[in-house]
Amino acid sequence: MSEPPADAETFLAATDTVAAMRPDLGLLEAGILAGLHLGFAADSRSFARVFGVEHALVLRALDALAGHGLLATTARDRRTQRTRYEASPEGEAVLRGLIA
């Protein structure tokens, strides 16, 4: 039996923690990292659908996170722009801060 996904309260707390650790990030960027950590989404379309955010905004946030060196793009669909991503080593260090 797999663990149930985290609840909204856990997601919001993780987002707040990431935002506090990295004040240079916006809340959407912090939320993407928190969502990745909690297993909510590892691609842009899924994140947009789960959280009711425009896909274009998620794509911009992913670009910002990549610019900060926190995420790496692993695949991008040319037609839909669905972007799959994972934490970079620096991003992993931030996510480890959520466990502590």
Side-chain angles (χ1 to χ4, degrees):
M1 207 175 218
S2 64
E3 267 187 57
D7 60 16
E9 188 175 308
T10 303
F11 170 73
L12 292 174
T15 299
D16 288 343
T17 301
V18 171
M21 289 188 314
R22 291 295 303 254
D24 56 324
L25 299 179
L27 282 178
L28 181 55
E29 288 98 4
I32 288 171
L33 286 175
L36 181 62
H37 173 72
L38 296 170
F40 280 126
D43 73 81
S44 59
R45 287 258 180 217
S46 295
F47 187 91
R49 182 179 35 79
V50 167
F51 294 101
V53 178
E54 291 293 326
H55 187 235
L57 295 175
V58 175
L59 291 174
R60 283 188 210 131
L62 291 176
D63 285 343
L65 286 165
H68 286 292
L70 298 171
L71 281 185
T73 298
T74 59
R76 177 172 275 171
D77 184 291
R78 293 177 72 179
R79 185 179 60 80
T80 66
Q81 295 301 305
R82 178 184 295 244
T83 302
R84 299 185 192 291
Y85 52 87
E86 63 185 23
S88 68
E90 187 176 342
E92 287 290 338
V94 171
L95 296 180
R96 278 192 298 276
L98 293 175
I99 298 168

